[in-house]
Amino acid sequence: VNIFSDKNNIKDITNLVADLLGQDKYISQSDIRSCLRSYPKVGKSLSHPLFNLEKLPNNIKNELAELKEITSKESIALKKRNDEFVKRALIKYKNLFNKLEQYPLTEEQKKSVVIDEDRNLLIAAAGSGKSSTLIAKAIYLIESGLADPHEIIILAYNKDAQEELEDRISEIWHKLYFSNKSMKPPKAITFHAYGYDLIGKATGKKPTVTKIASTSKDSLSKLYNEMITKLTRKDNEFLMSWFQYVAMFKQPRHNENKIKNYEDYIKYFKQLGAKWKGEQGPKELRIVSTIDNTAVKSLEELRIY
């Protein structure tokens, strides 16, 4: 069956895609798939590995060329279009990003906020501003009209992180939307609480939750340390794996090119979890990460130790 025989359908699809690409937003593959849902046969054919655009009549081929290109995950045209959008958005929302919290967002944080891919992987060290980026993302979605506050849920792994997010969002919300009392901020909730509530709504009965799910960060840390101690005493293979992890892989690899001065060095050390040590005399930054909690002066010393 020739699914491209209806030229009006093809024209409708290309017009729909043109309208989508003309919107003032980042375009993801799910946005394009959403456009094609009204024409499922066309979308299925375009994504088929054996589909060959060159085999179609010229008039149809020309109409579908752009659509075929942007449906590819490696689409150059879509990447160029989205890159241009990101540049515009960074300029448009510059003032917002600079005043959200105490410190302005970095360029990398801003890009993480405005890029709206279906899946986003952010890799960042401790203290590098993941929470700030998460909060800025929520505010950006609201300010840009891409989402209403009640459509956003901010998920955290533990109660401490959830409470911190709530406090920071509340402070920003008061600053930005004080005059609009009807607007409520998006919710910050733990994964456990969200799952608990979801199961309750779906089944009509909320399950019993283990106490460990809502315990404090300190209690969890104590529990994990006890488990690791027991395992290292019983299992030599685990001991060697754990030693390798602590000494070689727990902290990011040192990049000398990024350290230009003493301040950069101190910042890098703090990202490794270093703390000031020394009761008397000048204090020194030390990393406390060896198997027996001995403080060392460098990542290299840690690995040798």
Side-chain angles (χ1 to χ4, degrees):
V1 179
N2 184 359
I3 62 170
F4 300 108
S5 58
D6 191 339
K7 295 180 182 178
N8 290 328
N9 276 356
I10 295 170
K11 196 68 178 176
D12 289 343
I13 294 172
T14 52
N15 288 338
L16 196 64
V17 171
D19 290 341
L20 173 67
L21 295 178
Q23 292 182 25
D24 187 26
K25 60 171 287 187
Y26 190 97
I27 305 298
S28 65
Q29 284 296 318
S30 61
D31 291 322
I32 296 169
R33 288 195 299 272
S34 179
C35 274
L36 291 172
R37 284 194 188 118
S38 301
Y39 307 90
K41 288 184 178 180
V42 176
K44 186 177 180 181
S45 295
L46 287 171
S47 60
H48 196 283
L50 298 180
F51 176 76
N52 188 345
L53 192 66
E54 297 302 319
K55 300 293 184 182
L56 296 175
N58 286 334
N59 59 330
I60 298 177
K61 181 172 67 176
N62 294 336
E63 290 283 357
L64 292 174
E66 182 182 33
L67 178 57
K68 173 62 178 173
E69 206 280 335
I70 64 172
T71 54
S72 166
K73 292 180 180 179
E74 292 78 32
S75 171
I76 296 173
L78 187 61
K79 183 181 184 305
K80 182 180 178 181
R81 183 262 177 215
N82 281 335
D83 286 346
E84 290 172 353
F85 166 78
V86 169
K87 289 178 183 177
R88 294 197 307 272
L90 292 179
I91 296 171
K92 182 177 180 180
Y93 295 98
K94 179 181 178 180
N95 291 334
L96 175 69
F97 295 148
N98 286 344
K99 71 179 183 181
L100 279 179
E101 294 194 278
Q102 183 179 359
Y103 300 105
L105 296 183
T106 66
E107 287 303 304
E108 288 180 335
Q109 286 175 313
K110 291 174 187 177
K111 287 180 181 179
S112 298
V113 169
V114 301
I115 290 174
D116 198 24
E117 277 295 351
D118 298 326
R119 298 174 183 83
N120 296 286
L121 173 63
L122 274 67
I123 301 174
S128 59
K130 294 186 291 295
S131 295
S132 297
T133 307
L134 195 63
I135 293 168
K137 180 78 172 182
I139 299 299
Y140 164 73
L141 291 173
I142 295 165
E143 284 290 303
S144 62
L146 293 173
D148 291 328
H150 70 271
E151 295 176 312
I152 300 170
I153 296 178
I154 301 174
L155 295 173
Y157 279 108
N158 57 59
K159 189 70 175 175
D160 291 343
Q162 180 249 329
E163 288 177 350
E164 181 191 348
L165 285 168
E166 271 191 342
D167 291 342
R168 288 166 67 174
I169 291 169
S170 177
E171 185 177 341
I172 292 171
W173 203 258
H174 181 79
K175 184 166 58 176
L176 293 180
Y177 308 112
F178 175 75
S179 60
N180 191 343
K181 302 292 185 181
S182 62
M183 280 186 71
K184 303 296 181 184
K187 288 184 178 180
I189 191 170
T190 65
F191 281 92
H192 288 105
Y194 178 69
Y196 183 71
D197 185 57
L198 202 62
I199 292 171
K201 288 179 179 178
T203 64
K205 182 181 179 181
K206 292 185 176 180
T208 303
V209 179
T210 175
K211 290 181 180 179
I212 197 174
S214 57
T215 192
S216 69
K217 187 176 180 181
D218 289 340
S219 297
L220 281 176
S221 180
K222 183 180 178 181
L223 174 64
Y224 293 149
N225 286 334
E226 288 174 355
M227 290 170 61
I228 289 167
T229 301
K230 288 179 181 179
L231 283 168
T232 53
R233 287 172 179 171
K234 291 180 181 179
D235 190 336
N236 285 333
E237 187 177 344
F238 176 84
L239 173 62
M240 294 308 297
S241 297
W242 177 249
F243 179 80
Q244 245 189 348
Y245 163 71
V246 172
M248 300 297 294
F249 305 115
K250 184 179 179 181
Q251 309 296 355
R253 285 188 174 274
H254 176 56
N255 187 345
E256 294 181 354
N257 294 327
K258 289 189 176 181
I259 298 179
K260 305 295 184 183
N261 50 47
Y262 181 71
E263 288 183 357
D264 290 344
Y265 177 75
I266 295 299
K267 183 179 179 181
Y268 165 73
F269 236 50
K270 286 182 177 179
Q271 285 178 349
L272 298 182
K275 295 181 180 179
W276 292 103
K277 295 289 179 182
E279 297 296 330
Q280 298 178 347
K283 292 187 176 182
E284 291 183 319
L285 272 176
R286 298 292 183 92
I287 305 174
V288 186
S289 298
T290 55
I291 293 297
D292 60 358
N293 288 326
T294 300
V296 293
K297 296 181 180 179
S298 68
L299 186 57
E300 290 74 18
E301 188 178 344
L302 170 66
R303 289 169 177 166
I304 293 170
Y305 191 92

